[in-house]
């Protein structure tokens, strides 16, 4: 399914590996599968390992994986199910430094929020990509503007801009 | 009052441009109606029974004359020449067209207004005490806190697609005039034993189909911790709140299901792990507070001979002064309520001329400030006692002089079946019928403080659960049926009303209210209000008369 980040459409070099199936060069595993494989994953480099998780995954369950994987794909069952925003934010707060992917029917209008909460890329269904072509995502990615919240990625925040203006 | 700086202005302009683009993309089909829906709701645009409805944000109810004039203008240019002030301290326009919505948003932006987050599953407009900044019993002005929350909650990247809407109310006094205990989060300014200012926080209150009174989650939170703490509260709600059933998705259900102790534990754990970046720095707090510094009041004697004389000479003015004029912390000044509840009118409605008149009065006599109340009236917060008679005279010319603040005819009613797509019964005409029954000013004053609140369906926008008398309009096999509750209270002694029993037909409901009031008048002890009387006597005393005829 189409994948994009701030640079535009990008190839997906990850393979969603079925439970128990042989690993690929870079394997995206469901959390249960990764847990079930246990020691078999011990020698696998983080660059080759990713986790696909539902948006109601308990954060404690993810803790042991944060330094062992280089991709976490958070499922968005629907664009208006916003749990993934908080989950991403929480993973970043816990120090997760790998890539974060929003996987599901998120819309271009949410792109800035996704980035601010710590996502790097979005993977959307074909039909949605056809309806909201690349130009709309590019426009959303370019939309500059300041946000009021502090401690979120991406857009500069208004409070920092005000502080700078005070010093001028 | 707060005024946009360059950054606020740029933010609102960017949002207006984005919304214009979204409307265009909806019309082109790039956005489905399902996708467009939360986006338009985030901009206050509802699809109602007959047309779109646009709800404009009036942050914590405060606006100036120029903004009120702009609302009047919009109501004429794009609507039918009137607007409806709501229990959320906002204004709604009931007849705009979708294609006009971006232009309306642009017009609003020109006067520093917007419709951001007036609906949808996000953090809504923060509400507060309409006497904020002037109430003598205030510990601290709640408006700087409201403004901090307004900015923090505007297009919050994490909390814009919540499970359900989220409402925050703030009060600066022990006496709760902002109904904080029936909000998702209620914030009360308090001082601790050492005299330091901070907040007491309530969570999980709300009305709707499962009404609940909020519970204390923190007795004292240092002021600087407010935004991080709110962030923790919202994150736990966003992660753990139910998404399987929209009627169980509010935070009150989460708090109820896991228990306040468990919810508080999760929030405290989250809060403890935060790094503090969410808290604004002292300079920003000071910048906001400076906007709410007391305005330049003139030094005046504590009493006004003119005011006293006009009360003696004009009985109508005297009644208005008794009911609609409130104490002010500055000698020689008062706050005055403009009642939007004339007998026979639609509660909360104002025509364009009336809006212009209110703007003019505010500019001339209230230091250019107005505040919309959650009781659907308008407060002029800074009127000199000497000017009250002139204000009243001017208001009278537009029928804005009803002397009924807090009385039986000061009825709160949601739009109901006349406008609302969700309604199961009429509410405005019920309010009108009841008001007609109690037209007599002397009778109204004899009855004393009595709040009647009417909702046209179970969603409870008219806050009927917390009315001293609440009326809920339902549909029973195609016929309107009105369920009555008594004993509700939205203040610091918050309580949900108790159901009297079987409902009443549209024709019967006024008589039923009459029976309740008569019972009260007969059985009350000296100085006892309706609510106190009900709490003493209990339901049976009222039920007897209520159902006697049936
Ligand atoms: S209470 Fe019901 S009828 Fe009244 S405004 Fe709310 S949704 Fe509409």
């Amino acid at each position: 399914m189409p994948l994009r980040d701030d640079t535009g459409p990008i190839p997906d070099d990850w393979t969603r590996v079925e439970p128990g199936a042989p690993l690929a060069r870079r394997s995206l595993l469901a959390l249960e599968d990764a847990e079930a494989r246990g020691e078999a994953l011990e020698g696998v480099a983080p660059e080759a390992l990713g986790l696909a998780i539902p948006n109601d995954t308990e954060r404690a369950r993810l803790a042991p994986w944060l330094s062992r994987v280089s991709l976490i794909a958070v499922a968005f069952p629907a664009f208006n199910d916003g749990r993934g925003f908080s989950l991403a934010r929480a993973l970043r707060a816990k120090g997760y430094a790998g890539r974060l992917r929003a996987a599901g029917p998120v819309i271009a209008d949410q792109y800035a929020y996704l980035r601010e909460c710590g996502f790097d890329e979005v993977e959307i269904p074909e039909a949605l990509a056809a309806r909201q072509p690349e130009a709309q995502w590019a426009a959303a990615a370019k939309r500059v503007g300041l946000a009021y919240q502090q401690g979120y990625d991406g857009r500069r925040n208004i409070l920092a801009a005000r502080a700078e203006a005070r010093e001028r | 009052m707060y005024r946009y700086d360059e950054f606020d202005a740029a933010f609102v302009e960017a949002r207006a441009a984005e919304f214009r683009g979204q409307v265009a993309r909806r019309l082109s089909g790039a956005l489905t109606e399902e996708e467009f829906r939360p986006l338009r709701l985030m901009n206050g645009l509802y699809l109602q029974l007959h047309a779109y409805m646009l709800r404009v944000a009036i942050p914590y109810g405060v606006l100036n004359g120029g903004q009120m004039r702009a609302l009047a203008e919009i109501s004429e240019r794009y609507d039918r020449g009137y607007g409806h002030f709501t229990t959320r301290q906002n204004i709604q326009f009931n007849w705009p067209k979708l294609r006009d919505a971006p232009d309306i948003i642009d017009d609003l932006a020109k006067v520093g207004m917007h419709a951001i987050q007036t609906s949808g599953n996000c953090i809504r407009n923060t509400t507060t005490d309409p006497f904020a900044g002037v109430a003598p019993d205030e510990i601290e002005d709640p408006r700087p806190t409201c403004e901090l929350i307004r900015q923090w909650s505007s297009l919050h990247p994490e909390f814009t697609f919540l499970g359900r809407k989220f409402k925050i109310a703030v009060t600066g006094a022990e006496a709760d005039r902002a109904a904080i205990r029936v909000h998702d989060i209620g914030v009360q300014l308090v001082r601790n034993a050492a005299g330091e200012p901070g907040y007491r926080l309530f969570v999980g209150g709300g009305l709707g189909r499962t009404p609940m009174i909020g519970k204390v989650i923190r007795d004292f939170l240092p002021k600087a911790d407010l935004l991080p703490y709110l962030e923790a509260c919202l994150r736990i709600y966003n992660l753990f709140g139910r998404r399987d059933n929209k009627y169980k998705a509010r935070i009150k259900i989460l708090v109820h299901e896991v228990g306040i102790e468990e919810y508080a534990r999760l929030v405290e754990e989250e809060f403890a792990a935060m790094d503090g970046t969410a808290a604004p720095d002292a300079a920003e707090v000071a910048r906001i507070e400076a906007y709410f510094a007391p305005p330049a009041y003139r030094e005046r004697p504590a009493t006004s001979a003119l005011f006293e004389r006009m009360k003696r000479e004009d009985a109508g003015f005297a009644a208005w002064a008794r009911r609609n004029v409130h104490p002010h912390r500055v000698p020689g000044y008062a706050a005055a309520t403009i009642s939007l509840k004339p007998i026979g009118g639609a509660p909360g409605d104002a025509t364009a001329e009336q809006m212009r008149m209110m703007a003019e009065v505010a500019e001339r006599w209230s230091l250019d400030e107005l505040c919309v109340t959650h009781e659907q009236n308008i407060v002029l917060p800074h009127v000199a006692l000497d000017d009250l008679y002139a204000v009243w005279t001017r208001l009278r010319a537009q029928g804005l002089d009803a002397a009924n603040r807090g009385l039986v005819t000061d009825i709160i009613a949601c739009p109901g079946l006349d406008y609302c797509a969700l309604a199961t019964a009429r509410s405005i005409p019920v309010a009108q019928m009841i008001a007609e029954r109690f037209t007599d000013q002397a009778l109204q004053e004899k009855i004393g403080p009595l709040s009647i609140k009417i909702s046209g369906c179970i969603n409870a926008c008219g806050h009927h659960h917390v009315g001293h008398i609440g009326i809920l309009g339902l549909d029973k096999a195609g016929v309107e049926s009105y369920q009555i509750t008594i004993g509700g209270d939205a203040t610091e002694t918050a309580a949900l009303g108790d159901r009297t029993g079987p409902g009443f037909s549209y024709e019967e409901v006024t008589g039923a209210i009459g029976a309740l009031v008569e019972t009260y008048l007969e059985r009350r002890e000296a100085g006892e209000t309706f609510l106190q009387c009900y709490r003493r006597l209990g339901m049976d005393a009222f039920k007897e008369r209520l159902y006697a005829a049936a």
Side-chain angles (χ1 to χ4, degrees), chain B residues 122-170:
Chain B
C122 49
I123 304 170
R124 302 288 188 85
N125 185 22
T126 302
T127 50
T128 194
D129 181 355
F131 299 119
V134 305
D137 63 345
E138 197 167 81
I139 289 173
E140 210 175 292
D141 187 344
R143 293 171 304 173
T145 297
C146 294
E147 176 57 25
L148 261 185
I149 297 173
R150 179 191 77 80
Q151 297 192 21
W152 165 80
S153 63
S154 290
L155 300 190
H156 197 296
E158 188 178 341
F159 306 130
T160 290
F161 294 88
L162 296 171
R164 205 71 178 82
K165 58 188 168 186
F166 203 96
K167 301 174 181 176
I168 303 177
V170 186

Side-chain angles (χ1 to χ4, degrees), chain A residues 86 131 148-149 152 162, chain B residues 5 8 35 152 158 287:
Chain A
S86 279
R131 196 156 40 72
Y148 284 108
Q149 298 76 26
Y152 289 77
R162 278 183 184 139
Chain B
D5 66 0
D8 297 304
E35 287 164 351
W152 165 80
E158 188 178 341
R287 185 190 73 86

Side-chain angles (χ1 to χ4, degrees), chain B residues 48 414-417 420-425 427 454-462:
Chain B
Q48 286 290 48
C414 78
L417 204 52
C420 178
L422 304 170
T424 42
S427 42
I454 310 174
S455 303
C457 82
I458 198 164
N459 288 322
C461 303

Side-chain angles (χ1 to χ4, degrees), chain B residues 165-352:
Chain B
K165 58 188 168 186
F166 203 96
K167 301 174 181 176
I168 303 177
V170 186
T171 172
E174 181 63 39
D176 180 4
R177 291 174 290 259
I180 66 167
R181 287 158 184 83
V182 290
H183 281 74
D184 296 281
I185 289 186
V187 181
Q188 180 189 357
L189 278 143
V190 293
R191 287 190 192 279
N192 66 6
E196 293 150 348
Y199 302 105
R200 178 177 298 138
L201 259 60
F202 296 80
V203 291
L207 300 173
R209 45 187 82 205
T210 322
M212 286 188 196
I213 303 290
K215 299 162 187 78
V216 174
I217 180 167
R218 253 298 185 115
D219 229 8
F220 186 82
L221 182 75
K223 279 186 91 173
D225 289 339
L226 181 67
L227 295 186
Y229 200 85
L230 289 179
E231 190 176 308
C233 287
L234 266 292
R235 182 166 305 136
I236 296 301
Y237 165 60
N238 194 29
L239 286 170
F240 295 98
R242 286 179 61 171
R243 298 259 178 177
D244 59 327
N245 178 341
K246 82 173 212 186
Y247 300 121
K248 298 199 184 304
R250 294 285 289 269
I251 191 176
K252 63 190 172 190
I253 305 290
L254 173 67
V255 172
H256 180 72
E257 287 183 352
V258 304
I260 179 68
E261 295 78 17
E262 175 64 5
Y263 175 77
R265 189 188 66 75
L266 290 166
V267 168
E268 292 291 343
E269 193 179 277
E270 190 70 34
F271 175 65
M274 288 168 66
D275 60 6
T277 47
D281 63 12
E284 173 64 11
V285 173
R287 185 190 73 86
I288 290 177
E289 281 175 350
Y291 286 104
F292 297 98
Y297 297 110
R298 287 229 329 257
E299 214 165 292
R300 291 174 181 277
T303 54
S304 154
L306 178 64
F307 177 51
E308 298 305 326
R309 180 158 62 83
M310 293 326 294
K311 280 195 291 189
R312 282 193 303 274
E313 287 178 8
D314 191 323
F317 176 62
W320 188 77
R322 275 196 302 278
R323 295 311 319 169
N324 295 36
V325 172
H326 318 275
H328 196 286
R329 64 160 56 151
V330 177
Y333 282 85
T337 298
I338 304 172
S339 168
L340 298 183
K341 319 290 178 62
I343 306 287
D349 274 10
T351 64

Side-chain angles (χ1 to χ4, degrees), chain A:
Chain A
M1 290 199 286
L3 185 67
R4 80 169 324 278
D5 66 7
D6 281 354
T7 64
I10 51 171
D12 190 355
D13 55 1
W14 289 85
T15 310
R16 285 186 187 259
V17 174
E18 293 298 309
L23 294 184
R25 194 177 66 80
R26 305 189 89 180
S27 306
L28 186 55
L29 305 180
L31 177 59
E32 292 75 42
D33 184 29
E35 286 171 341
R37 289 177 194 243
E39 290 178 4
L41 293 180
E42 247 159 46
V44 183
E47 292 70 47
L49 205 56
L51 284 182
I53 59 170
N55 65 2
D56 59 354
T57 307
E58 244 185 88
R59 291 176 286 172
R61 235 176 117 190
L62 292 168
W65 295 97
L66 299 185
S67 57
R68 294 185 59 194
V69 301
S70 58
L71 173 70
I72 295 179
V74 179
F76 276 74
F79 78 101
N80 57 1
D81 182 339
R83 282 177 282 194
F85 293 99
S86 279
L87 189 53
R89 169 83 171 119
L91 291 177
R92 289 298 188 211
K94 281 256 177 295
Y96 175 65
R99 273 181 92 78
L100 262 178
R101 176 186 294 187
V106 293
I107 57 179
D109 307 79
Q110 293 175 305
Y111 189 71
Y113 304 140
L114 291 164
R115 292 283 293 110
E116 284 156 26
C117 287
F119 285 104
D120 302 290
E121 56 192 35
V122 297
E123 182 190 3
I124 57 173
E126 300 281 357
L128 193 141
R131 196 156 40 72
Q132 297 186 355
E134 175 52 26
Q136 296 192 6
W137 290 86
K142 272 211 300 287
R143 203 173 61 222
V144 278
L146 300 178
Y148 284 108
Q149 298 76 26
Q150 302 190 105
Y152 289 77
D153 289 344
R155 290 189 287 178
R156 253 168 24 112
N157 77 68
I158 291 177
L159 278 66
R162 278 183 184 139
E164 282 166 28
R166 267 196 289 274
E167 269 158 35
R168 273 204 300 272

